[in-house]
Amino acid sequence: MSDYNLDLHRQAANTIRGLTMDAVQKAGEGHPGMPMGMADVAVVLWTQFLRHNPQDPTWPDRDRFVLSAGHGSMLIYSLLHLSGYDLPLEELKRFRQWDSKTPGHPENFHTIGVETTTGPLGQGITNAVGMALAERWLAARFNRPDHAIVDHYTYVIAGDGDLMEGISQEAASLAGHLGLSKLIVLYDDNRITIDGTTDIAFTEDVMARFAAYGWHTQKVNGHDPLAVKAAIESARAEGERPSIIACRTHIGYGSPNKQDTSGVHGSALGDEEIVLTKQALDWPTEPLFYIPEAARDFMKMDGRFQSEWEIVWENYLVNYPEDAKRFKQFLNGELPAHWDDILPTFEVDKSMATRASSGQVLNAIAPHVPYLLGGSADLTGSNKTDLKGEAALAKDDFSGRYIYFGVREHAMGGILNGMSLHGGIRPYGGTFLVFSDYMRGSVRLSALMGEPVIYVFTHDSIGLGTDGPTHQPVEHIMSLRAMPNMTVIRPADGAETAVAWRLALENKSGPTSLVLTRQGVPNLDRSKYAAAAGAAKGAYVLSDAPNPQVLLLATGSEVQIALEAQEKLAEKGVAARVVSMPSWELFAAQDAAYQESVLPTSVTARVSIEAGVTLGWERYLGLSGTAIGLERYGASAPHKDIFQNLGLTADTMVEAALALLG
Amino acid sequence: MSDYNLDLHRQAANTIRGLTMDAVQKAGEGHPGMPMGMADVAVVLWTQFLRHNPQDPTWPDRDRFVLSAGHGSMLIYSLLHLSGYDLPLEELKRFRQWDSKTPGHPENFHTIGVETTTGPLGQGITNAVGMALAERWLAARFNRPDHAIVDHYTYVIAGDGDLMEGISQEAASLAGHLGLSKLIVLYDDNRITIDGTTDIAFTEDVMARFAAYGWHTQKVNGHDPLAVKAAIESARAEGERPSIIACRTHIGYGSPNKQDTSGVHGSALGDEEIVLTKQALDWPTEPLFYIPEAARDFMKMDGRFQSEWEIVWENYLVNYPEDAKRFKQFLNGELPAHWDDILPTFEVDKSMATRASSGQVLNAIAPHVPYLLGGSADLTGSNKTDLKGEAALAKDDFSGRYIYFGVREHAMGGILNGMSLHGGIRPYGGTFLVFSDYMRGSVRLSALMGEPVIYVFTHDSIGLGTDGPTHQPVEHIMSLRAMPNMTVIRPADGAETAVAWRLALENKSGPTSLVLTRQGVPNLDRSKYAAAAGAAKGAYVLSDAPNPQVLLLATGSEVQIALEAQEKLAEKGVAARVVSMPSWELFAAQDAAYQESVLPTSVTARVSIEAGVTLGWERYLGLSGTAIGLERYGASAPHKDIFQNLGLTADTMVEAALALLG
């Protein structure tokens, strides 16, 4: 420890404080307090421990660093700039400006070196649990004696807000359960939140809570570099438990008038106070954005860690060529070439829930996509997400391929994001569709980041029956459709479900929500109806009639109702076309000619049916069509009674069609 | 303790087990395991402690009982029936059937005696925190020496799933912080979840965690009635901390083949196993739904507790007539008669964020609605939710009217629901609109239950500026509109904001989301434009033109853009009408004639603008209109740059209008 240069440390930390104050002041907005308070901790971590390579930010075995308290973004921008990432000082001077690389909160899809997008509190630390889980899982699969090709830490800086959020508590409990000992959280214990001191709302014993989760806990003075260094060393030495180190810090460290106040949390200090602070820190007041060369040299990171790893990797290539090939397959996410040989087919006309079809498809795919890893939030049997013959991950055994997330939907979402961000894994997770609400914060981040997480949302409507309205999604399908970059697929039968899984796996630029029934639906006779391959275009003519007078639009379990209505209309001499619309997003991506071929502008008599809110259906119906759906919550009863009593029937469709046709 | 009749206890507990098994078997679906396991605990609680009156389920000072593990609904239905509520045995025999009073999960709006709607895990215990908070707040305001008119306990039965959920962890932390000592949680520690034993995912030290939150903790054998009784007595005697009692139970207690298995959690036992279980319990196998008179008598509750309270209340009426009047005002939620005297007006053309207008309106209203109690999830200054001159609630002081919820959005929602359900309080809570995602599980329950919680969602679009896409809601307004029984109001200026608050307070049948800007918007000159009173109809003609050729539709901060577009179109000789549409739900409630008067069918050239997803706008545009909005996430930049760069401008509207007009 004694060889740690405290003068260089001080210069580096003050450089971060100066960059932070100046950038926030220039932007006029931002959060200077946290970077100023955690600068000491961050400098110790980045200079003494973090194994990374600014020249190759995608090096697979780099340590992961997550700034969970994302509002303190100037901390990570300063660290990235100083350590040598492609983030020029000019970008720091453009903090929070249009198209700069320094947005208000860190965005991994926008700024090289940022591992995940943070800001919504609790998400970063949860992503980190996913990253640490991914590391452990890949290590269990690929490391060989003297060939530890997967062997890195995941470090987090988290604040009070992160730890107050429920998602982080769920994630911490699971991390403790799984013994993710290479996860190290540096808790910025500054006792200040936006509303004031933490004692106005947050007086629990945080360390005791984490100990109860099975974590290794320490407390240090966050402004004592040697103490911080020793604590991180102890955390790394801990082989059984994840670690949290409460770093007692002063928010806005150095500011004579604002340190330790909520005023410095989220507002610029003002020119005058910045001068006073720099003076108090014994730091040049000019130039702005001052970086002494000594500090830059101290923070600079070369490629030495990656070089060390490359040697191991080269040996691995020689000694374990098959494993190396497989490892690359995992990292690249290579998909099977011949889907038709893999995907199951389904017995025609047999009644089968699409969740059951999904389970069969998943199990057919799993052997061919060995990096597929997922689980359920304590609804395995209901979601049909289990992989037959694969064990669940346990503290002492990561050889399996299934995760019992517990009743922790929000953490599941954040962990799936972290697994995906880590690389080498294609994650999926299941719960009831209604509980997509519980995890919406994380699901949105999947979409915003473009992470290809697969969400398996079963029990997708009133069709789940007697569990009643608390469990019956009504608004959820449309709410997911409203989320940019989310692909929602609600298949009508087994064949469409197989297509849906293929599409989900092929979608690498964003998440997919598979929306599946609890109740049985008939596997459609594709010799009578159009092939399910049409589902890949989002919507397709499932069953046509010559010169259709009316279009019947439906998704999922309501497609069978539309087909029944079509027959009834035919009996009355009305030609109706049935369009199955499993995915609005995929349909919107088709060209205008295809869209017109499915939904001809000339046919304005249109009736849709979906067991959910009708808001949004006007996109395909216009003002002249009729949407059959629900403008209310469901009810507890056998599902057929609910469909009947709430008017989701073929007869209702027929009546609506006839009314439109006059 | 020795006078507790263990034989009657056994009969009552077995009656509950029998009713549960038989009802679930008859329904074919349900969750028998928990009621069978917790029957002993529940019988002790309901016979020895619970102060309630089945003849008057609305008695304000009754103890509150919350079955947080709502899947075990047959437990509460059995308890309600046996203790004498209006829930006939016939209803238990119609468990989970259409229109029965015994839905799959307890619904307070459907079944008398049920205090809240549970099933989504973690919500019930969080509601209970709100109820206990409400009790404490009302007690602080109204109790007088020897006149404790508000003095009751809140009891919860919670399961593993409840305690795994983040929402319950947030709520437990706040309950500990506030020292809600009259909250007593009976934790069904049965070590079984749907996926298997809890040790597959939940190995934390739950009691240590609650101790870390500042709770009083105990562990008992949940099948030892005297031990349970003693533990509840200890919990009641605890004067500083909320209590949790871990009741070690056997799920499916008595079933020879299914006790202690996840198989009995959520499935009927089967006729054969039911017989075996009844035999093992030394219980008659017939008739089904067997209730011995002795058990019924043992469980029966008369009005004695309420009668005791009535005496205190009568004295209170005499000795504190003004307080009594005020107490009734609180319970009845009486609103001011003369809003015009109360609501502020706003300086015309001054730029002012609607969150700021909202803060002024709230503070103008607060003295006239003294039972209005709320707070923010650590964004008080941003949400403008503080009440000037009112202290925040603290462990030792509940005299104030403000709640620092901490960074705990989901718990805030559940606590607001609990406060509302308790009665005597009109609750509100603030956070950023984007974080409505974090609390959506609770918000949905406000809507499902019809609880008139007021949500103050500020920072409502890309208009929040440099904080960037993680903080910029895009899909949230439409997603809230998709939620049945949620009233969304997005006012355009201060005057509409005042109307919005009035509407929110007048809406007593469901929640209201006030959607408010961070950035300034001009307070419209109402001598030039239509009066803001029109906002009460959801949409109104704000600025007309003779024989309008095009309709310009807008909400909130985009209304000013529509007005600018109207002027630009006028310069080009195009007559455009601007319609301000703050609330789609309120507009939908108007008669067809009014709707037609605002949006004449004859005018098909329609352009909408809203800084969010366009999905849904087709409801008012049809297929021939143009929606200007966002099909992507926002960006970090000053808000004017974002509006400009993403095309949310008057020029875009003008172009769209001209294109439609050919």
Side-chain angles (χ1 to χ4, degrees), chain A residues 158-442:
Chain A
D160 301 300
D162 284 305
L163 303 191
M164 277 191 257
E165 289 285 6
I167 181 176
S168 73
Q169 307 197 43
E170 295 174 3
S173 178
L174 189 62
H177 169 77
L178 291 174
L180 300 176
S181 59
K182 290 165 88 177
L183 172 65
I184 298 175
V185 175
L186 300 155
Y187 162 38
D188 179 17
D189 184 15
N190 64 32
R191 307 194 187 169
I192 293 293
T193 69
I194 294 175
D195 275 356
T197 54
T198 51
D199 61 12
I200 63 172
F202 189 50
T203 49
E204 62 176 62
D205 183 340
V206 178
M207 290 300 102
R209 170 156 67 84
F210 274 82
Y213 293 135
W215 286 52
H216 173 243
T217 68
Q218 300 176 78
K219 290 186 184 186
V220 294
N221 173 355
H223 299 296
D224 178 345
L226 298 183
V228 171
K229 187 160 174 279
I232 297 175
E233 278 163 358
S234 295
R236 287 164 53 102
E238 163 64 39
E240 298 289 327
R241 298 170 290 174
S243 270
I244 184 166
I245 305 168
C247 306
R248 182 71 182 95
T249 64
H250 297 283
I251 193 169
Y253 182 87
S255 165
N257 298 301
K258 298 195 172 177
Q259 176 179 306
D260 291 326
T261 70
S262 56
V264 76
H265 168 90
S267 301
L269 278 80
D271 289 323
E272 196 175 332
E273 185 69 12
I274 290 176
V275 168
L276 292 175
T277 304
K278 288 179 179 173
Q279 287 169 346
L281 292 169
D282 194 16
W283 199 243
T285 55
E286 291 191 338
L288 300 181
F289 296 93
Y290 172 62
I291 303 175
E293 277 312 303
R296 191 188 287 282
D297 290 346
F298 184 63
M299 292 296 296
K300 198 88 180 175
M301 173 57 64
D302 57 23
R304 64 183 180 273
F305 293 115
Q306 185 167 354
S307 299
E308 288 169 9
W309 179 85
E310 299 280 2
I311 293 166
V312 181
W313 173 244
E314 293 300 328
N315 288 331
Y316 193 88
L317 280 169
V318 172
N319 296 329
Y320 304 99
E322 282 305 308
D323 291 325
K325 189 179 158 191
R326 201 168 150 88
F327 186 59
K328 284 188 275 190
Q329 182 198 3
F330 276 49
L331 290 183
N332 297 335
E334 284 164 28
L335 288 173
H338 303 291
W339 283 110
D340 291 345
D341 301 342
I342 294 170
L343 295 174
T345 54
F346 296 93
E347 189 182 334
V348 167
D349 287 339
K350 182 182 172 187
S351 177
M352 190 172 181
T354 54
R355 64 175 170 139
S357 319
S358 168
Q360 288 192 14
V361 175
L362 172 62
N363 275 280
I365 289 171
H368 304 275
V369 187
Y371 49 85
L372 195 62
L373 174 64
S376 164
D378 197 43
L379 289 168
T380 296
S382 298
N383 300 144
K384 310 289 186 195
T385 40
D386 55 318
L387 300 183
K388 312 292 180 215
E390 293 282 357
L393 306 193
K395 191 170 197 159
D396 301 320
D397 183 2
F398 268 62
S399 65
R401 279 180 70 184
Y402 196 70
I403 303 171
Y404 288 123
F405 285 101
V407 190
R408 305 183 180 104
E409 297 83 5
H410 203 173
M412 179 171 72
I415 290 169
L416 295 174
N417 283 337
M419 291 160 64
S420 181
L421 287 159
H422 182 277
I425 290 175
R426 190 67 187 278
Y428 70 92
T431 186
F432 289 162
L433 177 59
V434 80
F435 299 131
S436 62
D437 277 350
Y438 271 50
M439 58 195 303
R440 211 170 148 89
S442 294

Side-chain angles (χ1 to χ4, degrees), chain B residues 41-42 44-46 48-52 61-69 76 115-116 118 124-125 127-129 131-132 151-158 181-187 228-229 231-233 235-237 243 245:
Chain B
V41 172
V44 172
L45 176 65
W46 279 58
Q48 304 303 301
F49 297 102
L50 199 71
R51 293 168 65 256
H52 63 126
D61 199 41
R62 69 193 181 277
D63 285 341
R64 303 304 195 268
F65 172 76
V66 173
L67 186 72
S68 193
I76 193 167
E115 297 283 1
T116 181
T118 53
I125 184 173
N127 297 160
V129 171
M131 292 172 183
D151 184 16
H152 70 77
Y153 285 87
T154 300
Y155 297 100
V156 180
I157 287 183
S181 59
K182 290 165 87 176
L183 172 65
I184 297 176
V185 175
L186 300 155
Y187 162 38
V228 171
K229 186 160 175 279
I232 297 175
E233 278 162 359
R236 288 163 53 102
S243 270
I245 304 169

Side-chain angles (χ1 to χ4, degrees), chain B residues 19-37:
Chain B
L19 290 174
T20 296
M21 286 188 285
D22 293 342
V24 172
Q25 187 65 30
K26 186 154 190 279
E29 298 186 312
H31 299 78
M34 193 281 257
M36 295 171 72

Side-chain angles (χ1 to χ4, degrees), chain A residues 29 31 96-99 102-107 109 117-123 161 164-167 169-170 173-174 177 193-196 198-205 208-209 212-213 376-382 393 404-410 434-435 437-438 440-441 444-445 447-448 464 466-476 478-479 481-485 518 584 606 613-616 618-623 631-633 635-638 641-642 645-646, chain B residues 29 31 96-99 102-107 109 117-123 161 164-167 169-170 173-174 177 193-196 198-205 208-209 212-213 376-381 393 404-410 434-435 437-438 440-441 444-445 447-448 464 466-476 478-479 481-485 518 584 606 613-616 618-623 631-633 635-638 641-642 645-646:
Chain A
E29 299 186 313
H31 299 79
R96 290 176 170 249
Q97 302 309 300
W98 181 264
D99 217 23
T102 50
H105 293 83
E107 299 169 8
F109 51 91
T117 296
T118 53
L121 292 172
Q123 300 286 344
M164 277 191 257
E165 289 285 6
I167 181 176
Q169 307 197 43
E170 295 174 3
S173 178
L174 189 62
H177 169 77
T193 69
I194 294 175
D195 275 356
T198 51
D199 61 12
I200 63 172
F202 189 50
T203 49
E204 62 176 62
D205 183 340
R209 170 156 67 84
Y213 293 135
S376 164
D378 197 43
L379 289 168
T380 296
S382 298
L393 306 193
Y404 288 123
F405 285 101
V407 190
R408 305 183 180 104
E409 297 83 5
H410 203 173
V434 80
F435 299 131
D437 277 350
Y438 271 50
R440 211 170 148 89
R444 181 180 208 254
L445 281 164
L448 174 61
L464 65 86
T466 68
D467 268 348
T470 55
H471 284 57
Q472 291 163 349
V474 168
E475 70 276 28
H476 299 73
M478 204 58 76
S479 298
R481 287 181 184 137
M483 193 178 277
N485 201 35
R518 179 201 186 205
W584 291 19
R606 300 177 177 194
V613 294
T614 62
L615 179 69
E618 293 88 354
R619 174 158 290 186
Y620 299 111
L621 299 174
L623 297 179
E631 311 300 350
R632 52 160 283 176
Y633 294 100
S636 171
D641 294 348
I642 311 175
N645 288 322
L646 299 184
Chain B
E29 298 186 312
H31 299 78
R96 290 177 170 249
Q97 302 310 299
W98 181 264
D99 217 23
T102 50
H105 293 82
E107 299 170 7
F109 51 91
T117 296
T118 53
L121 291 173
Q123 300 287 344
M164 277 191 257
E165 289 285 6
I167 180 176
Q169 307 197 43
E170 295 174 4
S173 178
L174 189 60
H177 170 76
T193 69
I194 295 175
D195 276 356
T198 51
D199 61 12
I200 63 173
F202 189 51
T203 48
E204 63 175 62
D205 183 340
R209 170 157 66 86
Y213 293 135
S376 165
D378 197 43
L379 289 169
T380 296
L393 306 194
Y404 288 123
F405 284 101
V407 189
R408 304 183 181 104
E409 298 83 5
H410 204 174
V434 81
F435 299 131
D437 277 351
Y438 271 50
R440 210 171 150 89
R444 181 179 208 254
L445 282 164
L448 175 60
L464 65 85
T466 68
D467 267 348
T470 55
H471 284 57
Q472 291 163 349
V474 168
E475 69 276 29
H476 299 74
M478 204 59 76
S479 299
R481 287 180 185 139
M483 193 179 277
N485 201 34
R518 179 201 185 204
W584 290 20
R606 300 176 178 196
V613 294
T614 62
L615 179 69
E618 293 88 354
R619 176 158 287 186
Y620 300 111
L621 299 173
L623 298 179
E631 311 300 350
R632 52 159 284 177
Y633 295 100
S636 172
D641 293 349
I642 311 174
N645 288 321
L646 299 184

Side-chain angles (χ1 to χ4, degrees), chain A residues 9-68:
Chain A
H9 170 92
R10 193 190 66 85
Q11 290 196 49
N14 284 343
T15 298
I16 292 171
R17 294 187 180 107
L19 290 173
T20 296
M21 287 189 284
D22 292 342
V24 173
Q25 186 65 29
K26 187 153 189 281
E29 299 186 313
H31 299 79
M34 193 281 255
M36 295 171 72
M38 282 296 278
D40 288 309
V41 172
V43 167
V44 171
L45 176 65
W46 278 57
T47 61
Q48 304 303 301
F49 297 101
L50 199 71
R51 292 168 65 256
H52 63 126
N53 181 6
Q55 285 71 51
D56 184 359
T58 65
W59 169 36
D61 199 41
R62 69 192 181 277
D63 285 340
R64 303 305 195 269
F65 172 76
V66 173
L67 185 72
S68 192

